[in-house]
Amino acid sequence: LNGVTTRLCDLGQGLAFYALLPGLSAPLAATVGVLCGLGCRRPARATTAALLVVVASFGVALFRFYATPALFAHGPFFGYVAGPLYDEVVAVRPALLFARAEQLAWTAAVCAAAMHAYRAPGVCLALPLPRWQRRASPALLALLLVAGALSFTAPRLGVVAEAATITTALGGLRQTPHFTLVYPRELSAAQVDRLAADHEFRYAQLATRLGTTPGRVRAYLFRSAAEKRALIGGGGVFVAKPWRREIYMIVGDVPLRALGHELAHVFAATAGDPLLGISVRWSGWGGLRILPQPNLGLVEGFAVAVADLPEDELTVHQRAATLLRLGLAPPLERLLGVAFLATAGARGYALAGSFCRHLLERFGAARLLALYRSGGDFQAVYGESLGALAEPWRRRL
C-alpha cells in the first residue's frame, strides 16, 4: 500500500524480500510455538520454551559474528542481516535462498520427529495422528539428510562465513613481520610486495604515533565488492573486527585508501573494552555498572584522527571547517555517542575525527587512548567538560 504513493527502488526485490523474510519467519515461528505448546503441559513452560528458541537463534548469529569473519547473518526468525549500515545495495542473493531452505528443512525434521514421538511417555502431543506416525520415520530420515547436507555445505553456499573457506577462495597467503595477508592468488609477486610494504608502513606509522602495538594482524584482501559480499557480507564497505585483530578490504591501488583507518581500529583495541575492543562507557544504578554505552563517535573519530589519508585530500580539519561554515555540523555532544549513527557518515566522520585529531595534537596520544578506554569521560581524562574542550577546537577551525 505504501508503494502506491511512495517511489520504490525495486518493487520486485521488495516483494521477494517480503516473501522470504516475514513470509517464512511467521510460519516458522508459528510452528515452533505450536510444537512448544503441544510438548509442554503448562502454558508458562511452553511460552518460555518458545522464547528460548527465538533467543537461541539470535545467540547463534551473534556468536558467528563474534567468532568468525562474518559480517552478515541468517536466522529463522530475524531473517537476514546484510552487513554494515553503509552497504547501499542489498538484494536477494542465492545465500539467502539456501539459508531459508536449510531452516525449513530443520523445522520440517523437528515436526516429523514430533509426529513420530507424540505417544512417547512424558510428551503431551495429544493429536490423533496414527497415519502420520507410521510415515514419520522415513520422512524424518529424509529431512534430516537434506537439512544436514545444507548445514554441511553452508560455508560453500555463502550461508555462513569461515576463515578457512575465505582463505581457500582467495588462495594467496603472505606472512610479514606484523601481518598475515590473505589475498587473491592471481596477484603477482611484485603486487603482493607493494601491498605488504603498504601494510607494514601504516603499522609503523600508527605504532610511532600512538606508542602502542596490537600484535599480529590478519588482513583479508578481496578481489571485488561482489566477492566480499558473497564471502563475508558488507560489499564495498571496508571494516575491521578489533577483537579478532582482523581487517577486511578490497584490493586496489597502493596506497590502499582506507588501510590506515581500519588498522587504527585494531590499534585502538589495546585501549578498548575486553569483549569487542571498542570504546564503551558503563552505567547503572547504585554503583552497579552493568549497562554498556558504546561511544561510536569516539570509535570512528579516533580512527580518522590517527590515520592519514593518501595525499591530495582536504585535511580532516579543513573538512570539518567547511561543514561548520556551511551550517551542516550537528552538535559535538550528539556525535560522540550512540547518536553518531543518526548522522550522515561523511559529516560525522569529519567532525568527530577533527575533534579527536585536535585532542591528539594538543594533549598527546596517551590521553586520547585513556579517553577511548573511559568511553568518553572527558572530565576524568582532561579535567574539563566536552563543551570546554570543544571551544578552542571551534575557534581553531
Side-chain angles (χ1 to χ4, degrees), residues 168-221:
T168 300
L170 292 173
L173 195 67
R174 167 75 70 88
Q175 303 288 346
T176 74
H178 299 104
F179 289 90
T180 297
L181 299 179
V182 185
Y183 59 88
R185 60 173 60 85
E186 64 272 14
L187 294 185
S188 67
Q191 288 176 302
V192 179
D193 288 342
R194 285 196 294 272
L195 287 168
D198 192 20
H199 280 71
E200 287 293 338
F201 170 70
R202 293 300 176 187
Y203 192 102
Q205 190 179 46
L206 289 169
T208 301
R209 181 165 291 162
L210 296 173
T212 185
T213 58
R216 194 165 192 81
V217 180
R218 192 175 186 90
Y220 290 94
L221 301 168

Side-chain angles (χ1 to χ4, degrees), residues 1-315:
L1 290 175
N2 181 63
V4 174
T5 58
T6 305
R7 181 170 174 260
L8 299 176
C9 296
D10 190 331
L11 181 60
Q13 285 285 317
L15 292 173
F17 269 124
Y18 193 81
L20 286 168
L21 299 181
L24 288 181
S25 290
L28 284 173
T31 303
V32 170
V34 169
L35 290 173
C36 291
L38 294 171
C40 299
R41 296 182 180 277
R42 296 182 181 177
R45 291 180 181 176
T47 302
T48 301
L51 289 174
L52 286 175
V53 171
V54 175
V55 171
S57 75
F58 281 88
V60 169
L62 289 173
F63 173 78
R64 285 176 175 168
F65 175 79
Y66 187 82
T68 73
L71 301 175
F72 57 57
H74 299 91
F77 308 112
F78 64 80
Y80 176 47
V81 176
L85 297 176
Y86 304 117
D87 213 3
E88 295 176 349
V89 179
V90 180
V92 174
R93 304 189 186 281
L96 177 58
L97 302 177
F98 288 128
R100 288 318 230 176
E102 178 192 8
Q103 294 153 14
L104 285 170
W106 280 115
T107 304
V110 172
C111 288
M115 294 176 196
H116 184 64
Y118 82 100
R119 294 292 186 187
V123 179
C124 183
L125 295 182
L127 291 177
L129 303 174
R131 186 178 301 172
W132 291 9
Q133 186 183 18
R134 289 195 297 271
R135 298 176 182 174
S137 293
L140 174 59
L141 179 61
L143 288 167
L144 286 174
L145 288 173
V146 171
L150 287 169
S151 296
F152 180 76
T153 57
R156 280 173 285 179
L157 297 174
V159 177
V160 297
E162 294 180 351
T165 305
I166 299 166
T167 302
T168 300
L170 292 173
L173 195 67
R174 167 75 70 88
Q175 303 288 346
T176 74
H178 299 104
F179 289 90
T180 297
L181 299 179
V182 185
Y183 59 88
R185 60 173 60 85
E186 64 272 14
L187 294 185
S188 67
Q191 288 176 302
V192 179
D193 288 342
R194 285 196 294 272
L195 287 168
D198 192 20
H199 280 71
E200 287 293 338
F201 170 70
R202 293 300 176 187
Y203 192 102
Q205 190 179 46
L206 289 169
T208 301
R209 181 165 291 162
L210 296 173
T212 185
T213 58
R216 194 165 192 81
V217 180
R218 192 175 186 90
Y220 290 94
L221 301 168
F222 299 91
R223 296 176 178 88
S224 64
E227 182 181 56
K228 180 173 176 291
R229 183 182 293 111
L231 290 174
I232 67 169
V237 185
F238 294 179
V239 294
K241 285 193 174 182
W243 65 93
R244 290 180 57 82
R245 304 298 193 266
E246 291 180 352
I247 58 177
Y248 312 95
M249 307 184 67
I250 298 171
V251 172
D253 294 333
V254 174
L256 294 177
R257 175 178 169 79
L259 174 57
H261 180 97
E262 301 309 332
L263 194 55
H265 285 308
V266 178
F267 271 77
T270 60
D273 78 291
L275 185 63
L276 296 177
I278 63 174
S279 183
V280 176
R281 190 170 186 176
W282 294 84
S283 62
W285 303 273
L288 185 63
R289 299 185 177 275
I290 57 174
L291 297 177
Q293 296 177 320
N295 194 326
L296 302 181
L298 189 54
V299 168
E300 296 299 344
F302 179 95
V304 172
V306 303
D308 289 328
L309 288 172
E311 294 301 323
D312 67 21
E313 290 279 339
L314 290 175
T315 69

Side-chain angles (χ1 to χ4, degrees), residues 314-356:
L314 290 175
T315 69
V316 67
H317 293 317
Q318 289 170 336
R319 284 184 282 147
T322 303
L323 290 168
L324 282 175
R325 291 172 186 174
L326 292 175
L328 297 175
L332 199 57
E333 292 78 7
R334 176 183 167 192
L335 284 175
L336 296 178
V338 178
F340 178 83
L341 291 176
T343 305
R347 302 180 194 179
Y349 278 64
L351 291 163
S354 174
F355 180 65
C356 288

